[in-house]
Amino acid sequence: MTDAQETAADTSLRTTGGAPPDDVAPAPIPLLEPREGIPPVVASDDALAGVIAAFAAGSGPVAVDAERASGYRYGQRAYLVQLRREGAGSALIDPVGCPDLSGLGEALHGAEWILHAATQDLPCLREIGMTPTGLFDTELAGRLAGFPRVGLGAMVESVLGYSLEKGHSAVDWSTRPLPDPWLRYAALDVELLIDLRDALEEELDRQGKLEWAREEFAAIAAAPPAPPRQDPWRRTSGMHKVRRRRQMAVVRELWNTRDQVARRRDISPGKVLGDAAIVEAALALPGNIQALTALPGFGHRMGRRQLEQWQAAVERAKELPDTELPQPGQPLTGPPPPRAWADKDPVAAARLSAARAAVSELAERLHMPQENLITPDTVRRVCWEPPKDPTPDAVEHALAGYGARHWQIEQVTPLLVDALIPEA
């Protein structure tokens, strides 16, 4: 570990938002204003062609953001894409009017994309033809640099000294036309992203962590799309209350029926039927519509046809043969929950305890969250099934097999080797 890394916690006032002396009143933080005003929303092929030409002719990295309608619409599609680049200015693109942005993606090929919390936006950008070849994630950079608050507004305020407008992050971005205050908010999200990237790069370099960040960014850019979740109905909130297989079948039927309705109507599943109502029906196993109506979540506001639909799902689950009922729990693909280790394998539990303590201490010394130093799942897997001979090379090989980056392997291997060697 370098001297710069040892002193990573000693960040400057510029990057930590340090308080002024008691006898000096803090200066008001200016509210950020769009430099060129709010750009018009691009919703036609002709207007899009102009944006593509402008951004292809621009220089340097490109700031990218996307707005979704989570909680309102089905899925996670983008309903607005914001961009900014030197020489091109800012652009707001409507993916409803311009559903194919592959031409824009090609025009930006080779440029570094700057995103905040990239893994949230990349899936919806990929759906419309935009995939970066390289990126800089300002949220992840903030985590690695040790910022206590890494939301975009907090980062812009503490690093650049400007305040972003708040209040529109959770609105229904599928609304058309989009109100001007929302468009202003969206344009400001990319207004200072390039400046923030430059300041964070400088800070990471000062702390000796810039190469670490570059490894992380490259891994995000190269990661394939996440596979579909297996048995997503098992993630229903309150599922822990459902114990019997027949009741689990009711959850599955109601969840699948809700998903079909939500997809057809392009509405958030939670607005069709709440998770709590699904669990209540599974626990009660209502025998008819009257019994279903008496349950929370199936009140008088629900129409007869809807009630018949939910009761039919319950009946389908009740009529399934035992051989088709879901099994309790999902098959484990890794170690058991840590709380069970002491009973199942006390030696492994001791290894995990030692490894966790060492990782926690190093993360604190490096001034970053533990999960960014190394994922907890990786630590659990190595401690549950360690190499037969836990040499540094063997531990490095195991960590690499679980997807750890080179810098992470370099930092945590000595800790895990010590944790895996039993005391004499």
Side-chain angles (χ1 to χ4, degrees), residues 371-404:
E371 62 269 21
N372 291 115
L373 175 58
I374 191 74
T375 67
D377 181 66
T378 297
V379 175
R380 286 194 295 270
R381 289 174 183 269
V382 172
C383 288
W384 184 252
E385 293 185 355
K388 290 182 179 179
D389 183 12
T391 63
D393 285 348
V395 172
E396 287 180 5
H397 181 74
L399 289 171
Y402 293 127

Side-chain angles (χ1 to χ4, degrees), residues 34 36-44 47-52 54-55 62-67 78-85 88-98 101 104 128 130 173 176 178-191:
E36 299 99 14
I38 303 174
V41 177
V42 173
S44 69
L48 178 61
V51 168
I52 292 173
F55 275 79
V62 55
V64 183
D65 190 25
E67 306 294 348
Y79 282 94
L80 188 71
V81 176
Q82 309 101 280
L83 305 100
R84 185 173 182 83
R85 193 179 195 187
S90 294
L92 301 178
I93 303 176
D94 179 5
V96 177
C98 301
L101 298 187
L104 179 59
I128 53 179
M130 296 184 65
W173 287 96
R176 292 296 182 273
L178 286 164
D180 282 349
W182 298 12
L183 296 174
R184 175 190 176 87
Y185 166 91
L188 289 175
D189 270 357
V190 293
E191 185 81 14

